[in-house]
Amino acid sequence: MQNKAYIIYILVAFLISSAIAFITTAYMGFATFTLLLLVIGLLYVKISKHIHANIMKIAIIGDLALVLVLELQRSAIETAAGFNLEPLQIMHIIFSTLAMLLYFPTLYYGQKLLKSKKRDPKVFSKHMIVARAAFLFRLLGFILMFSLLTHVKKA
């Protein structure tokens, strides 16, 4: 039963993120959903490595897709380079960028762990270091994301 509870967690995450989207923007709602997926994935790290890996991959791909959409829809890089943002908004961009960059080694080491028959302690250690840093930066970026409410229009 505990292996199947993640479906309920995902539904709750969807409801919470929908509420956030309703009161902020669709982008912030989706960012909330991907962050909650990361948290759900972390809850499953010791229960099922396959459920953990699948949820984390979906969350990471979702985050990367969101960044791509923001660039295409709102020219996010141009806005960030325009130097008309407040310090908290700039910190949001820095932390979020660091998280995105760390997602790649996190996925790489995670895949190596999934494919190996015996867990390599060095690979596991590297995965844990970059994954924890990526999650920390993602969490900080998420919190600071709300500082952008004064800068964006409801989409």
Side-chain angles (χ1 to χ4, degrees):
M1 178 64 185
Q2 197 170 9
N3 274 353
K4 302 293 183 199
Y6 71 92
I7 295 169
I8 295 169
Y9 297 146
I10 291 171
L11 290 173
V12 170
F14 178 76
L15 292 173
I16 292 169
S17 60
S18 295
I20 295 292
F22 183 75
I23 59 174
T24 61
T25 69
Y27 301 119
M28 289 182 179
F30 190 76
T32 301
F33 183 65
T34 59
L35 179 76
L36 291 174
L37 285 180
L38 290 172
V39 171
I40 294 165
L42 289 174
L43 293 174
Y44 275 82
V45 74
K46 292 194 178 181
I47 298 168
S48 167
K49 71 179 182 178
H50 293 290
I51 291 173
H52 163 77
N54 288 332
I55 291 174
M56 296 306 254
K57 280 187 246 181
I58 291 167
I60 289 170
I61 290 168
D63 265 352
L64 293 171
L66 178 60
V67 169
L68 182 61
V69 167
L70 285 170
E71 175 53 31
L72 295 174
Q73 296 287 319
R74 295 193 169 176
S75 301
I77 295 172
E78 185 179 328
T79 301
F83 300 109
N84 58 350
L85 297 176
E86 297 172 15
L88 289 178
Q89 296 167 338
I90 293 168
M91 289 173 58
H92 158 73
I93 292 167
I94 291 168
F95 288 137
S96 296
T97 301
L98 289 170
M100 297 299 129
L101 292 173
L102 288 172
Y103 279 161
F104 294 103
T106 298
L107 288 169
Y108 173 76
Y109 292 123
Q111 279 302 116
K112 278 187 91 161
L113 289 169
L114 278 176
K115 288 181 179 181
S116 66
K117 291 181 175 135
K118 186 177 176 189
R119 186 168 82 179
D120 181 344
K122 287 182 183 180
V123 173
F124 180 75
S125 176
K126 289 176 184 178
H127 176 69
M128 291 302 295
I129 290 167
V130 294
R132 285 177 177 164
F135 181 77
L136 175 64
F137 288 134
R138 177 66 176 86
L139 182 61
L140 292 170
F142 174 80
I143 293 165
L144 292 170
M145 168 185 77
F146 295 101
S147 70
L148 292 168
L149 280 172
T150 59
H151 190 76
V152 298
K153 296 178 193 123
K154 188 158 173 59

